Amino acid sequence: AVLVVVAIAGVVVTQTLPGPVNAPQPASAAAELHQLSTVVSSLPADTLAPGQYVYTDSVSSGPPAHPGNAPYNVQFDSTRQFWVAPDGSGKGIFTASNVTFPTPQDQAEWVAQGSPDIAAEFTRTSTFGPGNYGPMQVDEFTLPTDQAQLSSVIAGLVTSATHAQPGTANFTTEEFGYIGQLLQETAAPPDVRAALLTLAGNIPGITLVGPTTGPEGVVGVGISTPLTPAPSGGGYSEELIFDPTTGTLAAVEQWLTD
């Protein structure tokens, strides 16, 4: 039987704005992340017994897009659920919900195409064998806590996953986002999460947004990357919103500007 021992809920939203976002407060993002690291390091570690799995889930919502080659746009929430065993094997379930159409024309075109079940098209289940470790494919229980070693490991993982090169503005944004994914999509033990938060605090250019309300009414402390030129034009930044009482990553907001 599957026994759920850890649950991490996250909300990811991509939004497009016409101008500057994330006006920082004078306080230091590094100091806030250090405080969050201290909070997390005091938490008890979870131990998996035989037959137990780490469970994580996240909900994301993006801008309207064409499903496949369809001649209409839709928007929906995506939920990802993962169960991962200590050996890295497990199962993932992907579901879509709250399907909407940005314009009446999009809905009319959907009807003209036979009203296909959008949610069903984006619902699937996957299984993976030992050594895979779910969405991030990283064994979070073996990540080093030494800052120099952790920085080297994360740099290699970011470069492999995104092809961004260390020292570039794009790498800064990708590294911050990758650390956010590790905090959201895995159940890393407290000492590893604390080390990841400290590492995030050393990323140049990040700013403290301060108390903020994110998607789904999530309330926490926001920390953001600077605006980075996006491939399609405009700018891109990513904001991580943390629960200051537990150090948990509660939400992620990705911002696109014209």
Side-chain angles (χ1 to χ4, degrees), residues 70-153:
Y72 51 83
N73 282 313
V74 296
Q75 190 167 12
F76 55 86
D77 294 337
S78 299
T79 299
R80 305 197 323 169
Q81 299 170 282
F82 280 91
W83 292 260
V84 183
D87 68 354
S89 62
K91 179 175 73 172
I93 298 178
F94 305 80
T95 54
S97 60
N98 301 324
V99 178
T100 59
F101 300 90
T103 69
Q105 291 79 11
D106 287 308
Q107 186 166 10
E109 188 62 48
W110 169 72
V111 172
Q113 297 294 318
S115 305
D117 189 340
I118 303 297
E121 289 183 19
F122 289 91
T123 296
R124 62 186 178 90
T125 299
S126 68
T127 57
F128 43 90
N132 188 287
Y133 295 101
M136 298 298 294
Q137 297 187 340
V138 173
D139 182 1
E140 68 271 24
F141 290 93
T142 62
L143 286 174
T145 56
D146 175 81
Q147 284 295 292
Q149 294 178 14
L150 182 61
S151 177
S152 178
V153 170

Side-chain angles (χ1 to χ4, degrees), residues 30-243:
E32 183 65 35
L33 284 164
H34 176 73
Q35 175 59 28
L36 291 169
S37 174
T38 300
V39 170
V40 168
S41 64
S42 66
L43 298 176
D46 293 290
T47 302
L48 291 178
Q52 292 184 325
Y53 292 74
V54 169
Y55 169 79
T56 63
D57 68 65
S58 64
V59 181
S60 63
S61 178
H66 292 284
N69 297 320
Y72 51 83
N73 282 313
V74 296
Q75 190 167 12
F76 55 86
D77 294 337
S78 299
T79 299
R80 305 197 323 169
Q81 299 170 282
F82 280 91
W83 292 260
V84 183
D87 68 354
S89 62
K91 179 175 73 172
I93 298 178
F94 305 80
T95 54
S97 60
N98 301 324
V99 178
T100 59
F101 300 90
T103 69
Q105 291 79 11
D106 287 308
Q107 186 166 10
E109 188 62 48
W110 169 72
V111 172
Q113 297 294 318
S115 305
D117 189 340
I118 303 297
E121 289 183 19
F122 289 91
T123 296
R124 62 186 178 90
T125 299
S126 68
T127 57
F128 43 90
N132 188 287
Y133 295 101
M136 298 298 294
Q137 297 187 340
V138 173
D139 182 1
E140 68 271 24
F141 290 93
T142 62
L143 286 174
T145 56
D146 175 81
Q147 284 295 292
Q149 294 178 14
L150 182 61
S151 177
S152 178
V153 170
I154 296 301
L157 292 171
V158 171
T159 300
S160 175
T162 68
H163 304 294
Q165 295 302 311
T168 64
N170 185 47
F171 183 86
T172 294
T173 301
E174 295 289 358
E175 181 182 23
F176 189 72
Y178 193 87
I179 290 174
Q181 290 179 62
L182 284 172
L183 292 170
Q184 176 186 327
E185 298 282 14
T186 71
D191 58 342
V192 172
R193 279 184 281 153
L196 287 168
L197 289 166
T198 299
L199 182 62
N202 294 326
I203 296 176
I206 59 171
T207 56
L208 175 64
V209 179
T212 187
T213 300
E216 305 295 327
V218 171
V219 177
V221 176
I223 299 172
S224 174
T225 61
L227 282 174
T228 302
S232 58
Y236 168 85
S237 68
E238 185 158 331
E239 180 181 343
L240 305 183
I241 301 175
F242 295 92
D243 181 338

